[in-house]
Amino acid sequence: MQYHSKHLIRQGNHKVKKNGTGFYLFWSTQMVSTLGSSMTSYALILWIYERTHRAFPVSLLSFYSYISYIIASFLTGPFIDRGNRKRTLVLCDSIAALCSLLICIVSLQHNLNTGYVFAAAVIVGATNAVSAPIQTIVAGCLIPQRNYEKASGLKSFSSSLTAACTPAFATVFYSIWGLSGILIVDLCSFFVAVSALLFVINVPEPAPTERKDQGSYIEEGKIGYLFLLQHKGLFQIIISMCIMNFFSRLTYENILPAMILGRSGSSTVLAWVTGVIGIGGIVGGLMVSLFPLPKHKVKLLYVAAGFSFLFGDLLMGFGKSLWLWLPAAVAASIPIPFIIATQQYLLYQTVPEQLQGKVFAARNAIQYATIPIGILLGGWLSDSVFEPLIGMQGSIPSLLRKFLGSTPGSGMGAMFLCTGILGTLTCIIAARNKHVKKLDSSM
């Protein structure tokens, strides 16, 4: 069975006017909500580290969140397409807000422990697996097709802005108000987003004929995966992104702070590097929003990803000071919005609206499946393999010491070299895949 992408966006039995106003309101209020949630996540990291003084429990927080997200993504596709989008979004946001409220109450009673925090991470990760695809679908429904690239750029911009602002805001508020104060801010951001959804934003719903159940829940759940398998070019892109996500979690999302602190001994240097990474993402998002992307979207995706790995990871690994780390931060971060925007454009253009819930959930399950593995493996490889390797005898350790030095963090620098080389090779191989090249020529 082949699925085609010609479809109408409807609200009930009426076509929805896609003038972009609803999109901008939806995008801005969701950004506020995301900032509140991100501040809570960061504050919980600070809280856990204050009480354990260990990195592994912090890694477990991310692990539990991602693993529940991935498991739920395998199961939620039919639910997303069958349910009412607005009600489902409000329900998911309400469950996440309830978790924040309960943690706030337990914290004020001085009874909070890591078990409560990990349980909340599992619940919120699962709700995100439902809400994230719906947010993507709704954004595509609220804006004209000609503005898909701009919408993806704005989404990348808001994600980067949130990533850049969260550490500073969360640290300041945490020092003034504590964990409970940040949780209250998170709840306020929830009310902003939900109020806009309930009373202002007209969320498009599929026509009744498009929403008709196609069989059992299990049979419907297979449709998203079958669609991706039929569209081999799109499937190959998702597989390559899955591999790239694994490499990024081994290094940037895992050992970057430890490497810079070990090699520089300065928290100020770390603040500069992480700040420039955030600024680079903001600049990249604005570039995608303001300027049209070239015709060959797939080629752009792999050129951007290859550039990020080749210049970002390699310079980050070789760097011993800000003079290399800052250019590395720029090279690594500016291409990211281009990668996100091009993949989002390809999904919007290829997947029919009535199947987007199933397909987007399947995409998330596959593309993010390696993230928990990378989170847990990165720290172990650093502590047990690469850092000890620098101090060993032999030709390879001697060569690494020659280029990377022998200070703490040098082994982590070697990990960045590995991900830079392997990530670049992944982009080259994927771009040369015949199904991927065929998809690019058909866009």
Side-chain angles (χ1 to χ4, degrees), residues 191-419:
F191 283 112
V192 169
V194 167
S195 298
L197 269 175
L198 287 175
F199 305 116
V200 183
I201 300 172
N202 185 21
V203 176
E205 302 291 343
T209 54
E210 294 173 342
R211 179 167 265 161
K212 185 179 179 181
D213 294 346
Q214 300 176 11
S216 70
Y217 195 92
I218 294 176
E219 290 173 344
E220 280 199 68
K222 296 177 182 178
I223 291 175
Y225 299 94
L226 291 174
F227 181 93
L228 293 176
L229 289 173
Q230 290 172 357
H231 294 74
K232 293 183 174 59
L234 194 59
F235 182 70
Q236 292 297 329
I237 290 174
I238 292 169
I239 293 297
S240 64
M241 294 291 291
C242 174
I243 297 170
M244 288 187 270
N245 279 333
F246 173 70
F247 292 144
S248 72
R249 262 45 182 205
L250 283 177
T251 50
Y252 282 99
E253 308 290 340
N254 211 327
I255 62 169
L256 178 64
M259 183 193 75
I260 292 178
L261 289 173
R263 304 196 80 180
S264 70
S266 171
S267 58
T268 303
V269 172
L270 175 61
W272 270 99
V273 174
T274 54
V276 169
I277 288 175
I279 292 170
I282 294 170
V283 172
L286 287 174
M287 292 171 66
V288 174
S289 302
L290 297 175
F291 305 106
L293 297 178
K295 178 182 177 181
H296 296 288
K297 303 294 190 298
V298 179
K299 184 180 292 184
L300 173 63
L301 188 155
Y302 287 116
V303 169
F307 185 91
S308 181
F309 277 114
L310 185 62
F311 293 99
D313 289 47
L314 291 184
L315 288 177
M316 199 67 76
F318 281 119
K320 299 176 185 177
S321 68
L322 280 175
W323 299 112
L324 274 183
W325 283 329
L326 290 186
V330 172
S333 57
I334 286 182
I336 302 302
F338 290 87
I339 299 169
I340 296 171
T342 49
Q343 190 192 31
Q344 207 69 53
Y345 178 87
L346 293 170
L347 286 167
Y348 281 140
Q349 290 293 99
T350 308
V351 184
E353 192 242 332
Q354 65 268 26
L355 296 180
Q356 285 180 357
K358 303 179 186 69
V359 176
F360 290 177
R363 186 280 300 260
N364 291 347
I366 297 169
Q367 186 165 308
Y368 303 137
T370 55
I371 289 178
I373 302 171
I375 289 172
L376 293 182
L377 191 58
W380 178 83
L381 284 174
S382 168
D383 294 341
S384 303
V385 179
F386 283 91
E387 284 293 298
L389 178 65
I390 293 293
M392 293 180 180
Q393 299 298 317
S395 57
I396 293 178
S398 297
L399 184 64
L400 290 174
R401 285 194 294 271
K402 180 179 179 180
F403 288 103
L404 303 175
S406 56
T407 62
S410 296
M412 300 180 204
M415 289 178 63
F416 272 94
L417 300 186
C418 292
T419 56

Side-chain angles (χ1 to χ4, degrees), residues 94-156:
S94 300
I95 292 172
L98 180 61
C99 289
S100 295
L101 178 61
L102 292 175
I103 289 177
C104 183
I105 293 172
V106 175
S107 176
L108 290 172
Q109 294 174 342
H110 305 288
N111 292 324
L112 186 62
N113 58 49
T114 54
Y116 288 112
V117 175
F118 293 156
V122 170
I123 295 171
V124 173
T127 60
N128 286 341
V130 179
S131 61
I134 297 178
Q135 289 171 5
T136 304
I137 295 168
V138 171
C141 294
L142 292 174
I143 200 163
Q145 181 177 336
R146 65 180 181 275
N147 290 335
Y148 281 166
E149 298 170 10
K150 184 177 182 179
S152 297
L154 286 172
K155 186 176 180 181
S156 298

